[in-house]
Amino acid sequence: MSGTPGLSSFVLGDYLIFALMLLVSAAVGVYYAWKDRDQRTSGDFLMGGKKLTALPVAMSLTASFMSAITVLSTPAEVYRFGAIIAFSGLSYVLAMIATSEIFLPVFYRLGITSTYEYLELRFNRATRLLGTVLFIVQTVLYTGIVIYTPALALTQVTGIDLWGAIVSTGLVCTFYCTMGGLKAVVWTDVFQVGVMLAGFLAVIVQSVILQGGIFPIIKDSQDGGRLNFWDFDMNPLRRHTFWTITIGATFVWSSIYGVNQAQVQRYISCKSLTHARLSLYINLCGLWCIMLCSVFAGLCLYSIYKSCDPWTSGLISAPDQLMPYLVMDILRGYPGLPGLFVAAAYSGSLSTVSSSINALAAVTVEDLIKPYTNLSEKQLCYNMFHFYQCTSKYNNLMEIIFGVIGGPLLGLFTLGILCPFANSKGAISGLVLGLMLSLWVAIGSQLYPPPPELTCPLPLITKGCNFTNMDIHNWTSTILLTEATTPIQHLNSRSVLDKWYSLSYVYFSPIGTITVVCVGLLVSFFSGGTEQKAQTKLTFLKEDTTLFQMYEFFKHKVSVVNSK
C-alpha cells in the first residue's frame, strides 16, 4: 500500500526500529517465562505473586490507557480544538485521590483477583455476572479501537501494510502475555512508555528546530487561538470547557483507575498497600508527561501547518493522520526516526491490548470458570493460554464510547462501597437504568451531532498551500466550505431532546454513575435495605484513609515525646 502523495514511505531503517520494538517486547515475555518457570498457580500468573513494587507498576498503569489513540488523537484534538484538553491533568489528580482513598483499600484488604468478586461478596452472584459481562463487552470493543484505528491512520500515511502491522502486533502481544503473565505485561509496559516518550520527543525536537525555538510555536498557537485555556463556561452542552473536562473526565478516569480490572489488577499486585498507593501517585507523573508531550505536539502541528492545513487541503483524509503526516514530512530525512514514532504509536497499542487481554483472562477465570468448575491450577493455566490466543482475534471492532459502560460500573462499585444499606435489588436496578440512560444519550449524540457553536472547531487555513505537481482531490475543503456557509442554527430554537443529545460527551460517564447511585439508593430504601448492613470489610472505612493514618502517626509520635 502506498503512502500519502508527496511524502516518502518507510525505509529499511524505519522497519528495523519497528521490528526491534516488537522483538524486545517478545523477549520480555520469554525472560519471565524462563525466570518463573516453576510458577504453577493462576494467581501467580495473573497477579505476579503480589510481589511487585511501586515504580514498575506505576509505569505500567500509565501505559495501560495511554494508547496509540493518545499518541495520534490528542495532538489532532489540540490542532483542531485547542489546548484546553490539558485540563485533563487536573482530572487525573482527582481520580487518583478517589482511587487511592475509596477503592484501593477495599480491594487490597479483600485480596481478590477480579474486581467483580467484590460484587458477589457485597451483593449477589447475579450482580457479579452482570458486571463481568459489561466489562468484557467494554474491553473487547475498546481493544478493537485501540489496535485497528491507529493502524489504519498510520498505514495510509506511512505506506506500511495494514494487516501485517495488526497481525504482527497482535501475535507479539499474545505471545508475551501468554509466556510471562502479569510480570511480562508490567515490564513491557515500562519499556513501551519509554518508546512512546522517545517518539514524541523526536517529533517535538525537530519541530522546535524547524520553527526556530519554543516561543515561535507558542506565539503561532496564541495567534491561532489554540491556547484557549480560560474557558469557564458552565454550559454542559459545550464540548470542552474547564468544567466539562475537569468534572466529566474525573468520572471517566475514576472508572478506569478505580474499578477497571486492567488497572486494579496492577496496583493490588503490589507487595503492600503503601506500594500500591505510591504506584498511583508516581503514575500521575507519567500521565502528566505524556499529556504535556501530546499537547505540545499538537501545538507543533499547528505552528508548522498554520498556513496550509493538510486535512482541509485533501492531503490526508482524516484528522488522526495529522501526526503520521507530520512525522513523514519533517523526519523523512532521518532514517529510523519515522520508525521510532510508529513504534511509539504501536507501543501504545501493545500496552493497552496486553493489559486488556490480561484483565479479560483474570475475570474469565475468576468469574466465569472457577465458580462453576473444579479445574486444577494446571488446567486453569492451560485454559488461559488458549484464551489469550482467542482474544487476539477480536481486534476489528470500530466504535464504542468508553464512558457509556465505565460510568455505570463506577456507580455500581461506589454504591457498594459508600452506601452500607444498598442491596442487590437497588444495585441491579441502578446498573440497568444507568446503562440505558448512558446508551440513550450516546447513541442520540451520534445520530444527531451537536452544532458547531457547541463543538467550537477552530479555523484551519489553506491559503499557503502549494499543490504544484500534486494531483490532490480537495474534497474535505469542499465539505468545510459548505459547513461554513450554512446558516448557524440558534441554540434557543432547538428542542429539549436536541439539547439532551448535544450534551458534552465527557458527561456520559457522570450520567451513568449518578443514575446508578441515585436509583440504587431509592430502590434499596423501598425494598428493605435499611434493615440490613454490609460487612465492614466491604465498605469505606475512615481508618483506611491517608489523612487518618497520618493523624494516627503524628498522634503516636506526640505521645512518645510526651512520655519522655
Side-chain angles (χ1 to χ4, degrees), residues 106 109-110 118 122 416-417 420 533-544:
V106 175
R109 179 167 59 242
L110 294 174
Y118 170 82
R122 177 65 179 83
I417 293 174
K533 190 175 182 181
Q535 298 178 52
T536 304
K537 66 178 182 178
L538 300 176
T539 59
F540 174 79
L541 301 174
K542 69 177 187 297
E543 291 80 8
D544 290 329

Side-chain angles (χ1 to χ4, degrees), residues 4-68:
T4 300
L7 293 184
S8 59
S9 297
F10 259 31
V11 297
L12 179 60
D14 299 317
Y15 283 109
L16 289 176
I17 294 293
F18 180 64
L20 181 63
M21 182 272 293
L22 295 177
L23 182 63
V24 171
S25 298
V28 173
V30 173
Y31 170 75
Y32 277 102
W34 176 82
K35 182 175 180 292
D36 298 332
R37 57 191 180 279
D38 294 329
Q39 77 175 14
R40 289 289 181 265
T41 69
S42 58
D44 287 338
F45 191 81
L46 294 171
M47 304 299 294
K50 292 197 173 183
K51 298 176 182 177
L52 298 175
T53 55
L55 184 58
V57 171
M59 297 185 72
S60 181
L61 287 170
T62 299
S64 295
F65 281 89
M66 288 294 167
S67 65

Side-chain angles (χ1 to χ4, degrees), residues 327-389:
V327 168
M328 299 305 295
D329 189 10
I330 68 175
L331 295 178
R332 54 184 165 180
Y334 303 90
L337 288 186
L340 177 62
F341 179 80
V342 171
Y346 276 100
S347 288
S349 287
L350 279 175
S351 61
T352 303
V353 173
S354 63
S355 302
S356 299
I357 290 177
N358 201 258
L360 285 170
V363 299
T364 301
V365 169
E366 296 296 327
D367 300 328
L368 302 180
I369 296 179
K370 272 189 175 181
Y372 305 103
T373 64
N374 293 314
L375 296 179
S376 66
E377 291 291 345
K378 184 176 181 180
Q379 289 173 315
L380 286 173
C381 290
Y382 179 78
N383 285 330
M384 279 186 288
F385 174 81
H386 286 285
F387 181 82
Y388 283 135
Q389 292 180 319

Side-chain angles (χ1 to χ4, degrees), residues 455-499:
T455 57
C456 302
L458 297 170
L460 301 172
I461 299 171
T462 58
K463 65 181 181 182
C465 296
N466 181 4
F467 296 125
T468 306
N469 299 325
M470 287 188 186
D471 181 20
I472 302 295
H473 179 57
N474 197 357
W475 62 270
T476 355
S477 184
T478 305
I479 292 175
L480 291 184
L481 182 61
T482 304
E483 289 180 354
T485 56
T486 302
I488 296 177
Q489 184 181 16
H490 294 292
L491 288 177
N492 292 336
S493 64
R494 306 180 81 226
S495 68
V496 174
L497 197 57
D498 285 338
K499 290 181 179 180

